Amino acid sequence: MPNPTAAMLVIGDEILSGRTRDANMYHLANELTGIGIDLKEVRVVSDDAPAIIAAVQALSAGYDSVFTSGGIGPTHDDITADCIAAAFNDTIDVRDDARALLQAHYDRDGKDFNEARQRMARIPASATLIDNPVSVAPGFRVQNVHVMAGVPSVFRAMVASVLPTLTGGAPLISENLRIDRGEGDIAGPLGAVDAKYPELSIGSYPFQQENGQYGANIVIRGTDLDMINAALADLRAAFPA
Amino acid sequence: MPNPTAAMLVIGDEILSGRTRDANMYHLANELTGIGIDLKEVRVVSDDAPAIIAAVQALSAGYDSVFTSGGIGPTHDDITADCIAAAFNDTIDVRDDARALLQAHYDRDGKDFNEARQRMARIPASATLIDNPVSVAPGFRVQNVHVMAGVPSVFRAMVASVLPTLTGGAPLISENLRIDRGEGDIAGPLGAVDAKYPELSIGSYPFQQENGQYGANIVIRGTDLDMINAALADLRAAFPA
């Protein structure tokens, strides 16, 4: 049986403007791979309601589960929660359960639970809350879409809250073989090994060293360790060190 | 007049499997921002022909220009060129101009211009070649889609070849103000400043410091420096250091 599939939607201008290097995509990709869920697509869109709504609808329909990051804070450019409600024809308002969490948090810290902070309790009516042990303001899930914060420490905490609720597939095993030759020398024998093991996914990731020399990391992925080792042995025989 | 828009398509399993941290997205975003082209969307898809073709068609129709990275090498998992041809109903074969470039390169290096390497001369019939001063194998453009390599040093060289051919918009100016308070305290006054300057784009990028304290970088973007400075002065007055 094929593994469950997933997509990620990164919301906000940080990456599109070149201001920030991605961190959340890298984290989620590793976590999902670890539990046998295949991340098949990532989209990055700006803080633009029609773009967010269209992406949520397309990804929700196309994959078993979807994970979003960004746009659920208290500022004017945080529009993700309203877009999720719109994408699923759901209503949205400040919800009592989320408000109670936040009220207790700000009371404890002696901070004003002002109008901006109350925006973080705006949650679609049909949503289930996602626990945020770092900064309390919850994420939420509507149908197969998990809505999480963009701040990396909070995103990671929410992913940790969500992972135990997901049903993974067979854990993917991967082995790596570095070959210090150009891909043009590697491609022929590599293609033959790839054709011999159709159950495995064999990828070639070329690199250029500081001295200008080319090489490639050959990554063999699959769920059957014996088969992976057999393919690895074939590759080692084709490319003696 | 609004700036020209762009999208990027990252092709390959490296990022989706969590193997590699993105570098090309970050580079392209900065280069486009610098010449006044607004990067509006990024998609990452795996080495899967239907997924690549659908994404190319959607992005080509939706934005002024599209930039792809990855999948144009000599190995079996390099299927981008064929997918681009399919996306535009174009034919594809080894092309004389690309073959001549590569033949001369491998003759010079005394390397075999084997069948795998000849795959890198497979270029759609309607394409214009993109110069690759790093490793010779060319990228290419079909209509508004620029097809480039995934190896970061080669990707950067191809972007440098392409940039002078693009028509940018008004160069975007951005100013940054760091405020060491939680977004919940920032949001009210920030929203007022945002409403006062509808021509500017004002974003709040929250962070958490190592000591647990929250803050945010407020980024003001626009094309009118005087207006940006006025908004900055309003923000400084609202949040004295």
Side-chain angles (χ1 to χ4, degrees):
Chain A
M1 210 176 66
N3 282 350
T5 60
M8 179 180 189
L9 178 62
V10 180
I11 298 164
D13 298 329
E14 299 94 310
I15 291 177
L16 295 174
S17 67
R19 214 187 145 270
T20 318
R21 230 176 247 278
D22 163 70
N24 292 340
M25 203 183 293
Y26 181 72
H27 177 73
L28 182 68
N30 274 292
E31 294 294 312
L32 292 178
T33 299
I35 60 168
I37 292 179
D38 293 347
L39 181 62
K40 302 294 277 184
E41 181 170 351
V42 177
R43 293 192 192 181
V44 187
V45 297
S46 61
D47 300 310
D48 172 65
I52 296 170
I53 293 168
V56 166
Q57 290 174 334
L59 297 177
S60 171
Y63 301 98
D64 294 326
S65 55
V66 178
F67 303 86
T68 79
S69 78
I72 60 169
T75 61
H76 65 278
D77 54 345
D78 290 310
I79 59 174
T80 298
D82 285 82
C83 291
I84 298 288
F88 289 110
N89 283 312
D90 199 356
T91 58
I92 181 165
D93 205 343
V94 171
R95 236 171 66 169
D96 288 344
D97 50 357
R99 178 164 45 196
L101 287 171
L102 287 160
Q103 180 83 63
H105 171 64
Y106 290 113
D107 285 354
R108 210 159 41 227
D109 284 8
K111 284 185 181 161
D112 180 25
F113 187 35
N114 59 21
E115 193 182 323
R117 290 188 167 118
Q118 287 177 42
R119 276 198 74 197
M120 293 190 287
R122 279 179 70 78
I123 307 276
S126 69
T128 308
L129 300 187
I130 294 174
D131 188 36
N132 169 7
V134 170
S135 56
V136 179
F140 59 87
R141 177 178 63 78
V142 176
Q143 296 187 25
N144 64 344
V145 180
H146 303 79
V147 178
M148 299 180 287
V151 176
S153 59
V154 183
F155 179 80
R156 286 194 295 271
M158 289 185 176
V159 169
S161 298
V162 164
L163 282 182
T165 71
L166 303 171
T167 304
L172 203 63
I173 310 163
S174 85
E175 288 289 344
N176 185 56
L177 178 67
R178 174 180 164 152
I179 303 178
D180 281 323
R181 305 191 194 181
E183 275 196 307
D185 289 325
I186 297 171
L190 181 66
V193 173
D194 180 69
K196 182 173 168 188
Y197 300 97
E199 296 90 345
L200 300 179
S201 154
I202 303 185
S204 172
Y205 304 113
F207 59 80
Q208 185 178 23
Q209 298 178 58
E210 304 244 326
N211 65 8
Q213 291 298 304
Y214 288 90
N217 283 296
I218 308 304
V219 179
I220 309 176
R221 296 189 188 88
T223 54
D224 181 338
L225 183 59
D226 290 342
M227 194 184 292
I228 291 173
N229 282 331
L232 202 56
D234 287 358
L235 277 179
R236 287 212 169 97
F239 301 106
Chain B
M1 210 176 67
N3 282 350
T5 60
M8 180 180 188
L9 178 62
V10 179
I11 297 164
D13 298 329
E14 299 94 312
I15 291 177
L16 295 174
S17 67
R19 214 189 144 267
T20 316
R21 230 175 248 277
D22 163 68
N24 293 340
M25 203 183 292
Y26 181 71
H27 177 74
L28 183 68
N30 274 292
E31 295 294 311
L32 292 178
T33 299
I35 60 167
I37 292 180
D38 293 347
L39 182 62
K40 304 293 277 184
E41 180 170 351
V42 177
R43 294 193 191 179
V44 187
V45 298
S46 61
D47 300 311
D48 172 65
I52 296 170
I53 293 168
V56 167
Q57 290 174 334
L59 297 176
S60 172
Y63 301 97
D64 294 325
S65 55
V66 178
F67 303 86
T68 79
S69 77
I72 61 168
T75 61
H76 65 278
D77 54 347
D78 290 309
I79 59 174
T80 297
D82 285 81
C83 291
I84 298 287
F88 291 110
N89 282 312
D90 198 356
T91 58
I92 182 165
D93 205 341
V94 171
R95 238 172 63 169
D96 288 345
D97 51 356
R99 178 164 45 195
L101 286 171
L102 288 161
Q103 180 84 62
H105 170 65
Y106 290 114
D107 285 354
R108 211 160 41 228
D109 285 8
K111 284 184 180 162
D112 180 23
F113 187 36
N114 60 21
E115 193 182 323
R117 291 188 166 118
Q118 287 177 44
R119 277 197 73 198
M120 292 190 287
R122 277 179 71 78
I123 308 275
S126 69
T128 308
L129 300 187
I130 294 175
D131 189 37
N132 170 6
V134 170
S135 56
V136 179
F140 60 87
R141 177 178 63 77
V142 176
Q143 296 187 25
N144 64 344
V145 180
H146 303 79
V147 178
M148 299 180 286
V151 177
S153 58
V154 183
F155 179 79
R156 285 194 295 270
M158 288 184 176
V159 169
S161 298
V162 164
L163 283 182
T165 70
L166 303 172
T167 304
L172 204 63
I173 309 163
S174 86
E175 288 289 344
N176 185 55
L177 180 67
R178 173 179 164 151
I179 303 177
D180 282 324
R181 305 191 195 181
E183 275 196 307
D185 289 325
I186 298 171
L190 181 67
V193 172
D194 180 69
K196 183 174 167 187
Y197 299 96
E199 295 90 347
L200 301 178
S201 154
I202 303 184
S204 172
Y205 304 113
F207 58 81
Q208 186 178 24
Q209 297 177 60
E210 305 245 324
N211 65 8
Q213 291 299 305
Y214 287 90
N217 283 296
I218 309 303
V219 179
I220 310 177
R221 296 188 188 89
T223 55
D224 181 337
L225 184 59
D226 290 343
M227 194 185 290
I228 291 173
N229 282 331
L232 203 55
D234 287 359
L235 278 177
R236 287 212 169 97
F239 302 104

